[in-house]
Amino acid sequence: MTNSVDAATRVSLDYLSVLERRLRITRTSNGDPVFVPDRVSPASVSALRTELHDLLTGSNCDSCIEATRKFGEDRVQTVGFGITENFDLLVKLGFLYGQRLVLWDLIGTRLLAKKQVASDDILAVGEIACQLLLLRSVVEDGGAVILPPPPMWSEFSCLVADELRTNSKTTPSDYGLCMALSTVEDGLLLHPYTILDGASKPLVHDALTHQGEEFYSTENQAFHYSLAEMLSDQRLVFLQNISSKEFFRITRRFPELQHDIAVAFSQSRTGLSKVQVSIEDKKRIDRIVSSLNQRNGVQGKYFVDVLESTAAWSSASLVALASGRFNEAGWLFGATIMDLSLKLANSLRKWYAMPNRPVIIQAFCHLEKLAAEELETQFLSPLPLKPNSSEQSTGKLLREFTEPHWVEERHEYLNTLPLKKAQRVLEILDDDQIHCNVNVRRFQQAYIGDYLADVWTICSATTRYPH
């Protein structure tokens, strides 16, 4: 983590911690987050909604927006918009385009803002949470932040959003682009981008024409399209295979990478048709692939030369030592060693004299190597075990037990279960569920004694008493 953590980074890390804790997300041996809907109770969802609201409003909201505004004064901050099925590609595109990626909260202000949160919403919450948790190390380094959406803190953005909602022709891309551009009015400079899929250019609200010309010009769109094409090229499949956090780490090791990519793909396209632009992009990507293959081949050749010379040196030395021929044929051994040492020196000289390749090629070589290492780790690591039928059955019982709002109804359901199943349900309750089971009751205070007595009877045969 960087030494200086601004308010936006701090709030974002707290946001991720709340998601992981309230959704009871676990980790695989590789550190990948795992979300199981059956583990999440309605009480946990309610607590998650409350905590996220507190994080994204009031002084927390003000401080993280101000920190983001300050960050963007001398650095490029990007924000993705539109609907995409490839979140990983969208994130990597942002890393290539700017120094910090801004993500708007979707969980607290959209999915959990409904009066009734459906099971499909919970699945969506879990999926988004896992995607965000994969970026924790990036957030720690200040490379990404999670902020409340503009209408929550900007009056101007709120007015624009209201007008867009009244227009039935407004698409998600139109809305997302306008929200990003509207932040400029409040001094928060964001550079919007998206993964273009051949659809028409998103429409900009009349009040945002100037911002659109500066921050989302036709040239910018073409540049984003070129980067997306490069990231999607199957000859550079390692760019897709490598994790987002490693992609960020490596690209930040080469400070000139973003500049060099911009130079390579931002050449004037004035007067060119879409077909001609596509052809030019393909040629640029071809040159990257060719340079990458050439560097890998040259490195391999020089490396083999060094290995062969080193191996020959070692073999000759061992043979001479084992035969004891130093005194008997010292001149022959000396000549052999001298010859091999010259070969080794020449090989090493070639290795160190390799011409420096462009930063893009150097960075991509590192990315290719790390992608292979990650892939190897995934194959060698044990696969996560699927829940057995007993665990699935317990999950169903837990859902049925926590479905009623009042504890009295849960009590009645619990008494209908066989003893072992009732014990198992009580054993896997989390703190929020236990709290509800004791406090959310309809009848008089004295009733809780009957409930606790039955719970004691059920749990007396186990070593764990959850209440």
Side-chain angles (χ1 to χ4, degrees), residues 449-465:
D450 297 333
Y451 169 68
L452 292 178
D454 282 343
V455 169
W456 176 261
T457 300
I458 293 170
C459 293
S460 59
T462 69
T463 57
R464 179 172 178 264
Y465 181 50

Side-chain angles (χ1 to χ4, degrees), residues 225-240:
Y225 178 81
S226 299
L227 293 186
E229 286 291 295
M230 179 185 69
L231 289 173
S232 302
D233 195 293
Q234 289 304 306
R235 294 170 298 174
L236 302 173
V237 69
F238 58 88
L239 297 177
Q240 303 156 41

Side-chain angles (χ1 to χ4, degrees), residues 168-212:
S168 60
K169 296 182 180 180
T170 300
T171 66
S173 293
D174 297 339
Y175 184 85
L177 175 59
C178 290
M179 287 301 96
L181 295 176
S182 67
T183 63
V184 178
E185 289 291 321
D186 290 283
L188 199 159
L189 305 182
L190 295 179
H191 296 70
Y193 71 95
T194 191
I195 300 176
L196 300 175
D197 55 1
S200 58
K201 176 183 176 180
L203 298 178
V204 177
H205 190 277
D206 292 341
L208 302 171
T209 303
H210 175 71
Q211 293 91 329

Side-chain angles (χ1 to χ4, degrees), residues 251-259 359:
T251 54
R252 290 310 179 267
R253 283 180 56 184
F254 296 87
E256 297 299 319
L257 178 62
Q258 291 178 339
H259 172 266
V359 172

Side-chain angles (χ1 to χ4, degrees), residues 401 410-418 422 447 450 454-455 458:
F401 173 68
R410 297 185 181 188
H411 181 191
E412 293 175 0
Y413 174 79
L414 199 63
N415 285 334
T416 65
L417 298 177
Y447 169 78
D450 297 333
D454 282 343
V455 169
I458 293 170

Side-chain angles (χ1 to χ4, degrees), residues 291 294-295 298 354-362:
S291 297
Q294 182 181 4
R295 180 172 177 82
V298 171
M354 285 178 62
N356 289 326
R357 297 292 178 178
V359 172
I360 296 176
I361 305 305
Q362 294 181 45

Side-chain angles (χ1 to χ4, degrees), residues 120-138:
D120 287 346
D121 295 323
I122 299 300
L123 287 173
V125 166
E127 181 179 355
I128 294 172
C130 288
Q131 290 176 336
L132 294 177
L133 285 167
L134 287 171
L135 300 176
R136 183 193 290 275
S137 64
V138 179

